[in-house]
Amino acid sequence: MRSRLPGAVGRLRRLSLVAAATAALTITAACGAEQPSPVTVSDDWDEVVAAAEREGSVHLYSTQHPDNLQKLKAAFESAYPGITLEFTRGTDVEINPRVEAENRTGRGIADVHMSSDFAWITRAADSGEYSVEPVGPDFDAPAYERARSVIDDRFFLVSGAAFALGWNTQALPDGLDRPGDLLDESLRGRIGVVNPQGFAPVVDEYRFFDENWAHDFTERLAALRPRIYPGALAVAQALNSGEIVATPMVPPLVREQESGAPVGWKLPQPYWGTPWYSHVLASAPHPNAAQVLADFLVTRDGQIALSKGYASALPDIPGAVARAQDIPLPDVDTLTSESIDRYQQEWHQKFVS
């Protein structure tokens, strides 16, 4: 079961490294690869901002929705017109290895990294290799709840994806009320699901279904022969077009509804989600601008930019659908590479074979 233990000790407990991460660090040390030195910045925030403006730019790696990243860029550059925000958007499978390579060589491109892969986040926090402590004043704002939001004084919560039941309103005008509604025989071949291949969070999501909705939920879902998609965005597009009529795993369809798409959504209770954590990279080429961006991410303006259709790290953010601190975290000890590979084989036998 995913933990809802209160406080920093329970919710953000240190977890053991998996074998793959340990091996990677061992290989790096054995090869004598250059390691970036810890970056130091001034204790005076005004001096940090002045130095950031002299650096003139900052680069973010993120898996967040591209529309939210564009809004973040506009909001940040409005607040700090002397600093240009650039971002690279991709999946965790693409971006996390880049972060590791830049750290290993000491040739950084990104300054701040935002990830939703909690297993990777935990390993990186335990290693202490990738990050420096964020120093901005907004991390200590009471509304941010630092004790619930910061891991090992390095990784800080900025957002969260809360996944919903989704449906096409033309095909299902009465919508879906609970997860069990998806298991109706009338939906055979008309449900959309995400392939978990290569995505630890999606493996955790399927496990969540069986642990929290029904012990045989995924088995009964697979028996209805759902259509398989590479990601949640593709599932949302298929709902919009009518290619499928229902899904148990789609982000709240806020943008789609605003554009007039015939879709509906509802967060079930309990719902599965995945948090986004960020960190200031030890290999950051713009260390002061990195700190300024990190701080901005947890301000109200930064949260408004990031939170449309997502869970926010601050309360009362317009467009947010939940609070990121309330998303239960996975037990990364169950998300080793071996267990993920084993689950994906089992999933393939259920859903494809």
Side-chain angles (χ1 to χ4, degrees), residues 189-194 224-229 235 238 243-244 351:
R190 306 169 75 197
I191 301 169
V193 298
V194 176
L224 294 176
R225 314 312 299 171
R227 292 175 179 257
I228 300 169
Y229 296 88
V235 170
E243 182 175 290
I244 59 173
F351 284 83

Side-chain angles (χ1 to χ4, degrees), residues 203-224:
V203 170
D204 185 64
E205 184 175 12
Y206 280 107
R207 288 174 171 171
F208 179 92
F209 294 163
D210 286 340
E211 291 172 358
N212 293 274
W213 292 355
H215 69 91
D216 59 350
F217 186 89
T218 57
E219 183 174 348
R220 295 169 65 190
L221 182 66
L224 294 176

Side-chain angles (χ1 to χ4, degrees), residues 23 40 59 84 90 125 131 157 169 174 235 256 288:
T40 58
H59 199 123
T84 299
S131 320
L157 187 64
T169 55
D174 294 332
V235 170
E256 289 80 1
N288 293 281

Side-chain angles (χ1 to χ4, degrees), residues 36-318:
S37 300
V39 173
T40 58
V41 297
S42 172
D43 291 333
D44 185 299
W45 184 245
D46 290 337
E47 292 181 5
V48 174
V49 173
E53 290 174 343
R54 289 193 295 271
E55 291 169 352
S57 65
V58 65
H59 199 123
L60 172 68
Y61 283 173
S62 178
T63 61
Q64 249 271 13
H65 196 288
D67 288 350
N68 287 4
L69 294 175
Q70 287 288 356
K71 291 177 180 177
L72 176 66
K73 174 179 172 65
F76 178 79
E77 292 178 354
S78 176
Y80 298 99
I83 309 172
T84 299
L85 171 58
E86 300 173 348
F87 63 84
T88 298
R89 196 264 178 191
T91 67
D92 286 315
V93 174
E94 297 165 337
I95 290 178
N96 291 348
R98 291 192 195 183
V99 170
E100 294 170 0
E102 291 175 24
N103 180 271
R104 184 170 60 250
T105 63
R107 298 176 180 175
I109 295 173
D111 299 292
V112 178
H113 171 217
M114 184 187 301
S115 175
S116 60
D117 185 343
F118 192 69
W120 188 93
I121 290 163
T122 302
R123 296 194 298 268
D126 277 346
S127 77
E129 294 290 331
Y130 299 101
S131 320
V132 298
E133 183 175 356
V135 300
D138 290 280
F139 291 104
D140 293 317
Y144 183 59
E145 299 183 80
R146 184 184 181 109
R148 297 179 68 202
S149 307
V150 182
I151 301 174
D152 290 343
D153 293 324
R154 293 294 186 272
F155 282 81
F156 52 94
L157 187 64
V158 294
S159 183
F163 280 73
L165 308 177
W167 61 89
N168 182 288
T169 55
Q170 294 175 336
L172 298 176
D174 294 332
L176 302 170
D177 185 57
R178 57 188 181 86
D181 293 344
L182 279 157
L183 303 177
D184 192 280
E185 179 63 29
S186 66
L187 297 179
R188 174 175 292 274
R190 306 169 75 197
I191 301 169
V193 298
V194 176
N195 189 335
Q197 184 68 40
F199 293 96
V202 180
V203 170
D204 185 64
E205 184 175 12
Y206 280 107
R207 288 174 171 171
F208 179 92
F209 294 163
D210 286 340
E211 291 172 358
N212 293 274
W213 292 355
H215 69 91
D216 59 350
F217 186 89
T218 57
E219 183 174 348
R220 295 169 65 190
L221 182 66
L224 294 176
R225 314 312 299 171
R227 292 175 179 257
I228 300 169
Y229 296 88
L233 180 59
V235 170
Q237 292 169 341
L239 273 181
N240 187 7
S241 68
E243 182 175 290
I244 59 173
V245 303
T247 180
M249 47 201 321
V250 72
L253 301 167
V254 174
R255 291 180 178 83
E256 289 80 1
Q257 288 180 323
E258 287 183 351
S259 68
V263 294
W265 64 274
K266 180 178 181 178
L267 285 181
Q269 294 300 324
Y271 66 86
W272 181 86
T274 182
W276 269 288
Y277 283 85
S278 294
H279 58 138
V280 176
L281 292 168
S283 57
H286 309 103
N288 293 281
Q291 293 287 354
V292 172
L293 174 59
D295 183 77
F296 185 78
L297 292 174
V298 300
T299 64
R300 182 171 175 81
D301 286 344
Q303 286 293 294
I304 290 173
L306 282 176
S307 299
K308 184 174 182 177
Y310 291 90
S312 62
L314 290 178
D316 304 319
I317 296 298

